Amino acid sequence: MRAMMFNEEFETLPRQALEALQLKRLQSMLERVYANVPFYRTAFDRAGIRPDDVRSLQDLQRLPFTTKQNMRDSYPYGLFAAPMEEIVRIHASSGTTGKPTVVGYTQKDIETWTELMARTFVTAGAHKGDIIHNAYGYGLFTGGLGAHYGAERLGASVIPISGGNTKRQIMIMQDFGSTVLTCTPSYALFMAEEAKIEGVDFRNLKLRVGIFGAEPWSEAMRVEIEEKLNLTALDIYGLSEIMGPGVAQECYVAKSGLHIWEDHFIPEIIDPETCQVVPEGTKGELVITTITKQGIPLVRYRTRDITSITYEPCACGRTHARLARLSGRSDDMIIIRGVNVFPSQIESILVGIEGVEPHYLLIVDRQDNLDTLEVHVEVDERLFSDEIKVLQALSRSIEKEIKDMLGVTSRVKLVEPKTIQRSEGKATRVIDKRKLV
Amino acid sequence: MHVEQISIFIENKSGRLAEVTRILGDAGVNIRALSLADTSDFGILRLIVNDREKAKAVLKEKGFTVSKTDVVAVEVPDRPGGLSLILQTLDGENINVEYMYAFVERCGENAVIIFRFDETDRAIKSLLDKGFNVLEGERLYGM
Ligand SMILES: [Zn+2]
């Protein structure tokens, strides 16, 4: 039996029909950006390709990439393909360095986003009648409003709580009977800690489903969240440059990979070093081409997110390809003595060790021309011993595990609880002192 | 015969030890005995106090990781080799001493040593059998 779907016709389009639709939409998008966006006209001319040279999906690989830097260089509206009088909404991503990246939506873009977000909710097992506790930030960040519109379209009751004020969040979840929670996975765990302090037991709440995203997380973290919050935790993917939340969503049926809505986005996986497309199932950087967007369509946008893709049929009945759980960002990737390390890998190791909270900090440095990795791990009561040798054995076992799994020598430093910075948004996990020199 | 000790995890950075003693002092908790075991990164502070529950509560409230451990207090005969006699007895019974430290106050003429054993109950029995004076917790907390 097929799972519930929001738009069954499009979500189950046979592969051939889906690809034919993609090609048609791709060609029309390319014509539009070539005619309206000077950046793309120049880039295509330089690559010696015109929109009508693209006759198959394979030809996409001949087109140049778009990067976050290109967006910054076009700040604020340089890449918009629609005139400003048709733009009804503007969002921007947080710019940790320099200017933010700005995106504009036409009315049709908002409608598309709303539908895809509604599909996303249904894919996660939400339905009309649910009370959706939306703790994604409302504002310039796309998370809050994106999820909000989708929840309304679905016919659910949405609580636009936004981020912050965790005590109040917990009270409202309890009193309003929230059934679905949307926030970042690290904030979900932060809430669990706060609830414990407040004496609130998640088993007494009505929460059933959690849709967590906006930062990479691990399978081990899913187990911990599901246990602590007593709900089914599912992975959502999105980024403001492409649309916002709802680009891809893990289905509750298979709980194995995130369906990317291929009738609106074409995904590719490339090797971030060579920029060549890699075979199905191989890990690499996700590249997305938006084929229906009007405000700011992007051609082969380099997301910097690391994942792999599969076109295997899914138990839920959807035909859209699935992305593997994101395992970090190509720019979060730290190279330690030539070995590629993602913070999420260290996190999986830590959660696997009894008693260790996934609160950790990686400090990368260079001593005598050799890279060093120091891992700070918080010691809580479950793991504390009054004997030095027991704690030292714990440090050594974490070091050994990291060496065995990642091939990197590290030094584990045990630190007092709650001393590593907590955040209600994205967590800082790495301090790379090599970059400061 | 068990004595309850509280153990606190502290990072090896300046001021942490002073912070713990200040918190306890402010709460009116008296420290009866103290031992600090440390490595280059962290230390474990072991305390015998007059009010364990209160000490634990105020330290936890300040974010410290605290645990309780059962230890044994033994009076050391006031003569040469007094401690050695105790250790020989334990050795003869194959009981391991995880760590030990001296109690601040004396018990009459004699010094008191706090022991942490791998097998607490067997250690107490052996010591009593050999005629050593094992002190009650209540007596120690109020000393
Ligand atoms: Zn599925």
Side-chain angles (χ1 to χ4, degrees), chain A residues 3 5 123 249-259 312-320 322:
Chain A
M5 291 181 207
T123 304
Q249 171 65 42
E250 186 177 38
C251 63
Y252 71 91
V253 178
K255 246 185 168 181
S256 169
L258 297 81
H259 290 283
E312 288 286 310
C314 184
C316 72
R318 291 181 181 83
T319 52
H320 296 227
R322 278 174 291 158

Side-chain angles (χ1 to χ4, degrees), chain A residues 24 50 91 109 205 235 301 317 320 361:
Chain A
K24 201 176 109 227
R50 291 180 54 85
H91 279 289
D109 288 336
L205 266 53
D235 201 0
Y301 181 71
H320 296 227
L361 182 68

Side-chain angles (χ1 to χ4, degrees), chain A residues 358-386:
Chain A
H359 287 295
Y360 65 93
L361 182 68
L362 307 181
I363 297 176
V364 190
D365 205 347
R366 184 164 287 149
Q367 280 165 7
D368 304 327
N369 292 316
L370 276 178
D371 296 332
T372 59
L373 172 64
E374 192 169 276
V375 183
H376 288 193
V377 180
E378 287 187 358
V379 174
D380 73 353
E381 269 169 43
R382 289 174 299 168
L383 134 161
F384 179 48
S385 158
D386 69 318

Side-chain angles (χ1 to χ4, degrees), chain A residues 164-184:
Chain A
N165 200 343
T166 310
K167 271 187 193 172
R168 189 160 140 262
Q169 299 252 2
I170 293 164
M171 182 196 79
I172 284 181
M173 279 194 286
Q174 207 172 13
D175 297 350
F176 291 16
S178 311
T179 55
V180 176
L181 171 64
T182 55
C183 64
T184 61

Side-chain angles (χ1 to χ4, degrees), chain A residues 99-350:
Chain A
K99 301 275 192 193
T101 46
V102 182
V103 288
Y105 303 73
T106 64
Q107 189 58 52
K108 187 160 173 285
D109 288 336
I110 295 289
E111 279 159 23
T112 302
W113 187 11
T114 301
E115 190 210 310
L116 296 187
M117 199 55 225
R119 281 191 202 178
T120 291
F121 274 119
V122 177
T123 304
H127 44 69
K128 192 178 170 70
D130 266 318
I131 298 175
I132 299 180
H133 186 98
N134 186 21
Y136 281 118
Y138 281 67
L140 273 183
F141 172 61
T142 49
L145 283 168
H148 184 105
Y149 275 55
E152 283 187 352
R153 169 66 57 88
L154 184 62
S157 316
V158 53
I159 305 172
I161 185 96
S162 198
N165 200 343
T166 310
K167 271 187 193 172
R168 189 160 140 262
Q169 299 252 2
I170 293 164
M171 182 196 79
I172 284 181
M173 279 194 286
Q174 207 172 13
D175 297 350
F176 291 16
S178 311
T179 55
V180 176
L181 171 64
T182 55
C183 64
T184 61
S186 60
Y187 190 52
L189 281 176
F190 184 81
M191 278 193 194
E193 274 185 28
E194 286 293 301
K196 205 172 153 193
I197 294 168
E198 297 290 303
V200 173
D201 188 342
F202 272 94
R203 279 171 301 187
N204 299 329
L205 266 53
K206 294 211 173 80
L207 288 175
R208 193 183 77 246
V209 176
I211 301 174
F212 304 116
E215 65 187 19
W217 50 309
S218 61
E219 204 53 45
M221 212 165 152
R222 163 157 38 212
V223 173
E224 191 183 1
I225 292 176
E226 291 194 332
E227 189 198 305
K228 288 190 169 167
L229 279 79
N230 191 37
L231 45 69
T232 299
L234 296 167
D235 201 0
I236 183 173
Y237 177 71
L239 64 170
S240 68
E241 295 90 326
I242 295 305
M243 179 177 82
V247 172
Q249 171 65 42
E250 186 177 38
C251 63
Y252 71 91
V253 178
K255 246 185 168 181
S256 169
L258 297 81
H259 290 283
I260 177 161
W261 305 120
E262 283 191 276
D263 49 341
H264 296 273
F265 311 110
I266 301 179
E268 298 171 274
I269 306 291
I270 64 163
D271 177 324
E273 298 296 321
T274 66
C275 296
Q276 294 302 306
V277 171
V278 299
E280 181 176 344
T282 307
K283 253 192 187 189
E285 180 181 328
L286 175 64
V287 170
I288 298 177
T289 300
T290 69
I291 49 176
T292 54
K293 248 169 95 181
Q294 297 185 321
I296 177 166
L298 295 179
V299 177
R300 304 192 83 196
Y301 181 71
R302 291 192 58 172
T303 66
R304 299 285 168 187
D305 290 315
I306 302 290
T307 182
S308 63
I309 200 163
T310 175
Y311 293 89
E312 288 286 310
C314 184
C316 72
R318 291 181 181 83
T319 52
H320 296 227
R322 278 174 291 158
L323 305 177
R325 177 182 282 286
L326 279 87
S327 54
R329 292 180 55 77
S330 59
D331 39 6
D332 272 358
M333 183 175 83
I334 31 183
I335 302 176
I336 299 167
R337 297 190 193 183
V339 181
N340 297 350
V341 175
F342 293 103
S344 54
Q345 293 175 304
I346 305 238
E347 186 167 308
S348 321
I349 291 171
L350 291 177

Side-chain angles (χ1 to χ4, degrees), chain A residues 409-422:
Chain A
T409 304
S410 62
R411 195 177 98 73
V412 168
K413 185 176 174 186
L414 302 179
V415 299
E416 288 169 18
K418 313 262 192 297
T419 51
I420 294 174
Q421 184 206 334
R422 299 291 200 284

